[in-house]
Amino acid sequence: MLLIHCPYCEQDLPEVEFAYAGEAHIARPADPMALSDEAWAAYLFFRSNRRGVHFERWRHIHGCGRFFNAARHTVTDRFLTTYRIGAPRPDSAALPEAGQ
Amino acid sequence: MTAGDQAATAGGLRITEAAPGARFSLRLRPEHLPAAEAALGHPLPRRIGEITAGQGWRALMLGPDEWLLDRPAGGPPALPGAPAHALVDISDRELILRVEGPAAAELLSIGIPRDLRGLAPGQGCRTVFDSVPVILVREGETAFTLAVWRSFAPHVAGLLEIGRREIAAGL
């Protein structure tokens, strides 16, 4: 079973307690009316879909209920780190096993 | 709901429905904790999963800004002068199943994915039991209470009863 570290509970807990919530660090444009249709579509629908270290949101829905961010390697499915909402995005090169 | 009303005993395992108590969900910002504690008259836990007790109340910390307050009977806690908070009566939301016996942790592990060795007596957590959200409290080394939302309770009680019979049969 995949264990995910919840940065609020500070424990490694089973994956079934968590829900995936899409790519992280995507800010809603401050003024959507000023955007072109293409730029708005890019915000709404287009995601990086990376092969490698992917920054994504998770929610500990069957636990503390909090959203947090995680860096996961999409090839190995390993969680490299998890961090609280509001914390800066870690440098992906500095993460353990990021090169794998 | 068969396991709830009648105590079922076999293989040293007992599954009973606990008497309904008074349960309240308290949400407030962590910086307002000292003022809320002063209003309640007893300390609230600061770590998720910890439980504190005082003034007849028991408080379990479920999330960074969420506590579950419960006591055997009575009305809501008085929070005079406490800063902005949300206090919701959830007494009727859940049924409480009590699982006791030497194999209680083994029985619960049929539905709970957490490693229950990491849950010390006197600690609790919100987790899942076979995809049903539950609040689990380890009351003692071999005693647990499981708070299950009413509509899911027959499913959880039924699964626990099957597991109890399997353990009793030595499977």
Side-chain angles (χ1 to χ4, degrees):
Chain A
M1 182 183 292
L2 189 60
L3 295 176
I4 300 175
H5 183 85
C6 173
Y8 293 94
C9 297
E10 295 169 340
Q11 288 183 70
D12 291 330
L13 296 167
E15 183 192 1
V16 294
E17 289 192 0
F18 295 84
Y20 178 69
E23 190 173 351
H25 302 292
I26 293 174
R28 182 183 165 88
D31 183 9
M33 294 304 284
L35 258 57
S36 66
D37 285 352
E38 289 71 24
W40 184 241
Y43 159 70
L44 281 184
F45 304 117
F46 292 88
R47 296 296 177 258
S48 60
N49 195 23
R50 284 177 59 90
R51 182 181 193 274
V53 180
H54 186 242
F55 292 92
E56 54 198 20
R57 296 192 309 158
W58 283 78
R59 186 180 181 202
H60 191 192
I61 184 164
H62 297 304
C64 63
R66 280 304 169 112
F67 282 90
F68 59 91
N69 290 334
R72 182 176 60 93
H73 199 290
T74 54
V75 178
T76 62
D77 203 25
R78 275 186 179 274
F79 279 79
L80 308 176
T81 185
T82 57
Y83 51 102
R84 295 184 178 204
I85 289 289
R89 179 205 298 246
D91 179 9
S92 58
L95 292 170
E97 304 177 58
Q100 285 187 8
Chain B
M1 179 99 196
T2 53
D5 306 325
Q6 324 145 2
T9 314
L13 273 169
R14 251 173 85 83
I15 305 167
T16 47
E17 190 182 319
R23 295 160 68 82
F24 297 88
S25 167
L26 174 67
R27 307 286 305 257
L28 54 86
R29 290 179 184 274
E31 61 263 32
H32 294 154
L33 252 180
E37 286 173 332
L40 276 170
H42 67 89
L44 290 169
R46 307 294 175 108
R47 267 181 72 86
I48 293 172
E50 299 282 322
I51 292 176
T52 59
Q55 311 277 348
W57 288 98
R58 188 168 76 159
L60 163 64
M61 188 172 185
L62 289 175
D65 58 357
E66 184 176 2
W67 288 264
L68 172 72
L69 300 171
D70 72 309
R71 63 173 170 178
L79 283 165
H85 64 276
L87 183 69
V88 179
D89 187 341
I90 54 165
S91 306
D92 289 333
R93 189 177 70 180
E94 292 147 329
L95 293 182
I96 318 288
L97 298 173
R98 192 174 166 87
V99 180
E100 293 165 280
E106 190 187 342
L107 173 61
L108 288 171
S109 72
I110 65 173
I112 290 181
R114 280 202 190 210
D115 184 355
L116 293 175
R117 289 169 300 185
L119 192 71
Q123 288 186 332
C125 62
R126 183 162 44 205
T127 180
V128 277
F129 183 98
D130 192 52
S131 77
V132 175
V134 296
I135 295 173
L136 176 72
V137 176
R138 189 165 200 162
E139 308 282 352
E141 193 56 49
T142 59
F144 295 83
T145 53
L146 201 59
V148 188
W149 285 28
R150 285 182 169 276
S151 53
F152 295 120
H155 171 64
V156 171
L159 263 181
L160 284 173
E161 176 60 17
I162 291 169
R164 185 191 65 77
R165 282 192 215 159
E166 286 185 349
I167 289 171
L171 290 176

